[in-house]
Amino acid sequence: MGNKNISSRFRRLRQNQPLRDMVCETQLYPKDFIYPLFVIEGDDIIESVESMPGVYRYSVDNLDGILSEVNESGISGVLVFGVPAHKDSRGTEAYNKDGIVQKAISHIKSKYPDMIVIADICLCEYTDHGHCGLVCRDEILNDETLPLLAKMAVTTVQAGADIVAPSDMMDGDVAAIRRELDKNGFINTPIMGYSAKYSSAYYSPFRDAAGSAPGFGDRKSYQMDCRNVKEGLREIENDIAQGADIVMVKPALAYLDIVRAASDRFDYPLAVYNVSGEYSMVKAAAINGWIDERKVVTENLTAMKRAGAKIIITYHALDMAKWLKEEF
Ligand code: PBG
Ligand code: ZN
């Protein structure tokens, strides 16, 4: 006999997997994901990134294996970062038309014309001081940096990039890039702004991978303060006003409240970046046998989508795509 005092039996729809699947509100697909790819100057290099198990830096001549994996996986594409042989104060290699990231992009597009290739636009991998903009004394210059970012955007699009993604957090970067792309005839190239990018300790494994740690100080004068929500929404609103086609919140896991607020407020495709430190923490625990990697990654990525993310940039992309295929 049922207890008449229980009016809602939520457990009816939780009885078995088919029922749970039928009513589930969030479903991940391989196409939700973008895989970050580190390309290094040189020949015959595949080197592991110590602080990011399972992540490698590839020279262009060694990209084919990982590209074919990406192609088979059903994910949407790659976000390309260059690791140059030569760095200087002005980040010259970032906007050299024969630079590492430009060469990598044209190689990828020649092999896989349908793969979405996103170029990360920033100077920090290319400057000897490791900051995302030009430096004068101890100051990170804003307006003087904009033309260099715009130049980098144009050269990566000339190399074949489908989308450019400025991650520098200089004010006015999206507008400067939009103007320069349009001037060069690339009116149809979308911009994905790293709009609400927070100054975060979760980036440190990436800085190992890309060799882009700041040589002095930190990035707090340009990246956001983690205590702020409204400011993040203002950043996103402003990127949209400058012409961004896709907006982003970064990092992901510790910032899902920002993702939810942004998704409620703005009718633009929203991306999240599940950053290096978030990845490495999961990998470390998994390697130690403390957690079930597949289950934890599935839960984390589902949380990002549930919070409102449309596009998920993650180092787990290839694993997750594989796991999803096993399910279907
Ligand atoms: C470069 C850039 C960074 C990341 C993406 N683009 C590092 C930084 O801002 O220091 C971080 C990605 C990650 O941690 O996975 N501006
Ligand atoms: Zn940077």
Side-chain angles (χ1 to χ4, degrees), residues 37-42 57-58 60 79-105 108 117-135 145 148-153 155-157 159 161 164-168 194 197 206-215 219 222:
L37 195 58
F38 298 102
V39 188
I40 188 165
E41 190 76 64
R57 295 186 208 90
Y58 306 87
V60 174
L79 172 61
V80 187
F81 295 94
V83 184
H86 170 74
K87 301 184 190 228
D88 59 28
S89 65
R90 298 181 58 82
T92 309
E93 284 302 293
Y95 40 90
N96 173 357
K97 68 176 177 38
D98 300 314
I100 180 60
V101 79
Q102 290 80 1
K103 281 190 293 196
I105 290 167
I108 299 169
V117 174
I118 307 174
D120 185 89
I121 304 299
C122 197
L123 299 186
C124 57
E125 297 116 78
Y126 308 91
T127 50
D128 51 15
H129 47 70
H131 276 288
C132 302
L134 291 175
V135 168
T145 301
L148 304 185
L149 297 169
K151 226 157 102 178
M152 182 180 187
T155 57
T156 57
V157 173
V164 292
S167 66
D168 50 278
Y194 280 67
K197 176 174 176 179
F206 172 95
R207 292 174 187 171
D208 272 358
S212 63
R219 303 209 200 291
Y222 42 109

Side-chain angles (χ1 to χ4, degrees), residues 190-202:
I191 298 175
M192 176 166 80
Y194 280 67
S195 312
K197 176 174 176 179
Y198 287 83
S199 173
S200 172
Y202 284 103

Side-chain angles (χ1 to χ4, degrees), residues 71 75-77 108-117 162:
N71 187 51
I75 71 168
S76 282
I108 299 169
K109 289 305 283 190
S110 73
K111 287 246 157 180
Y112 297 101
D114 296 332
M115 190 180 289
I116 296 177
V117 174
D162 300 290

